């Protein structure tokens, strides 16, 4: 099971960024770790060209979001199948920014993940507690509730990745302690096992996300139960992203 190190570019980038996979490949050279799978999630309008470029170097591409419906009157949206047509292998579902800024509930996230799986892609389902829930000792309960509400019955370890992203750690420079990360990843695996069986849970990839940087990547990616990273800010510069991948 390769570690999945994913770049979430959010609403950043421009057409000229299609050279980034090549730039990354040249920075990695012969040192690309065999146990790491690299994923670029650019804005949807660049997905096609990034997927083409990433594919040349054995890297993958994914969408940051999609609609749960296959087609219809949903101006401005894209379907999972459209992401697939553009070369995506993954779709991020329920990123905390989508949950907080676009009102995505667990039920919406579940419907999107279901659509992603039905389109033959893998869903990266994001969960994570706010600072208030962490401080009141309800982090595990919050994440458990999100998992139970967001994971579709069609989920398997092959078509699903869970990204644990404490909301307070995203884009803030703060990271969870290694103990907290390991404990939460263990909890996520346990809950996934309750929902879909322990055998599946044993193979499930669980990423950590939240201010992963070159300086902390090694210890985070080596932590127990951490099967990759979802990287925002530090994935915009290939020099930084390469260092994170090399730490994998
Ligand atoms: C993210 O957007 O998923 C994320 C983890 O961002 P950052 O790495 O900037 O905290």
């Amino acid at each position: 099971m390769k570690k999945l190190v994913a770049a979430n570019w959010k609403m950043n980038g421009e057409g000229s960024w299609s050279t980034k996979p090549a730039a990354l490949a040249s920075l990695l050279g012969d040192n690309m770790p065999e146990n790491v799978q690299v994923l670029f999630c650019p804005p949807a309008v660049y997905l096609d060209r990034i997927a083409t470029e990433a594919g040349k170097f054995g890297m993958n591409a994914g969408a940051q979001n999609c609609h749960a419906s296959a087609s219809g009157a949903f101006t401005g949206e894209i379907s999972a199948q459209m992401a697939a047509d553009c070369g995506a292998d993954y779709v991020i579902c329920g990123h905390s920014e989508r949950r907080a800024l676009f009102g995505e509930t667990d039920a919406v996230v579940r419907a999107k993940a279901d659509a992603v799986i039905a389109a033959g892609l893998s869903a990266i389902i994001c969960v994570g507690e706010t600072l208030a829930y962490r401080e009141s000792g309800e982090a595990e309960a919050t994440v458990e509730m999100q998992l139970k509400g967001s994971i579709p019955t069609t989920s398997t370890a092959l078509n699903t990745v869970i990204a644990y992203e404490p909301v307070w750690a995203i884009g803030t420079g703060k990271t969870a302690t290694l103990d907290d990360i390991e404990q939460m990843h263990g909890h996520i695996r346990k809950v996934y096992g309750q929902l879909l069986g322990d055998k599946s849970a044993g193979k499930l990839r669980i990423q950590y996300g939240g201010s992963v940087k070159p300086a902390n990547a090694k210890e985070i990616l080596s932590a127990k139960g951490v099967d990759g990273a979802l990287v925002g800010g530090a994935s915009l510069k290939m020099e930084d992203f390469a260092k994170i991948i090399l730490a994998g």
Side-chain angles (χ1 to χ4, degrees):
M1 184 167 65
K2 288 190 177 194
K3 293 196 183 210
L4 180 63
V5 178
N8 174 16
W9 284 355
K10 312 193 186 194
M11 200 173 74
N12 294 295
E14 52 187 61
S16 66
W17 283 30
S18 55
T19 57
K20 297 234 176 206
L24 179 66
S26 127
L27 284 163
L28 293 169
D30 293 336
N31 299 321
M32 171 72 197
E34 277 186 11
N35 64 328
V36 174
Q37 183 183 348
V38 177
L39 172 66
F40 284 95
C41 298
V45 290
Y46 302 129
L47 188 50
D48 212 327
R49 63 179 97 167
I50 291 290
T52 301
E53 292 306 311
K56 291 179 186 169
F57 305 99
M59 302 171 187
N60 296 89
Q64 298 173 12
N65 178 40
C66 70
H67 196 276
S69 299
S71 62
F74 303 107
T75 302
E77 294 289 305
I78 63 163
S79 71
Q81 186 57 52
M82 290 170 188
D85 288 346
C86 289
D89 296 303
Y90 293 81
V91 179
I92 300 173
C93 299
H95 188 280
S96 69
E97 286 151 16
R98 303 265 352 146
R99 290 177 184 264
L101 304 173
F102 300 95
E104 289 189 8
T105 61
D106 288 334
V108 168
V109 176
R110 186 178 56 224
K112 289 185 177 198
D114 205 20
V116 169
I117 291 166
L121 308 181
S122 293
I124 300 179
I125 301 176
C126 300
V127 294
E129 79 285 357
T130 59
L131 189 57
Y133 281 122
R134 165 69 51 189
E135 286 178 344
S136 64
E138 293 168 277
E140 284 193 4
T142 308
V143 167
E144 182 166 336
M145 207 163 67
Q146 290 175 327
L147 291 168
K148 288 181 172 163
S150 308
I151 297 175
T153 53
T154 47
S155 167
T156 68
L158 288 179
N159 62 29
T160 303
V161 175
I162 303 294
Y164 169 54
E165 299 204 301
V167 177
W168 48 270
I170 297 178
T172 59
K174 294 179 190 162
T175 43
T177 66
L178 284 188
D179 277 355
D180 287 344
I181 294 173
E182 289 184 352
Q183 194 167 326
M184 187 62 89
H185 280 228
H187 189 62
I188 290 170
R189 209 173 292 284
K190 189 181 95 187
V191 173
Y192 191 89
Q194 287 165 359
L195 293 172
L196 290 145
D198 288 339
K199 206 170 156 207
S200 216
K203 295 185 191 143
L204 178 72
R205 287 192 289 184
I206 307 175
Q207 295 176 303
Y208 172 79
S211 297
V212 175
K213 310 271 180 229
N216 60 21
K218 183 94 205 159
E219 57 173 11
I220 290 174
L221 286 167
S222 312
K224 189 163 174 271
V226 174
D227 309 302
L230 184 51
V231 187
S235 74
L236 302 178
K237 284 195 188 138
M238 290 307 103
E239 290 76 10
D240 288 346
F241 194 41
K243 286 179 190 153
I244 293 171
I245 292 162
L246 290 170

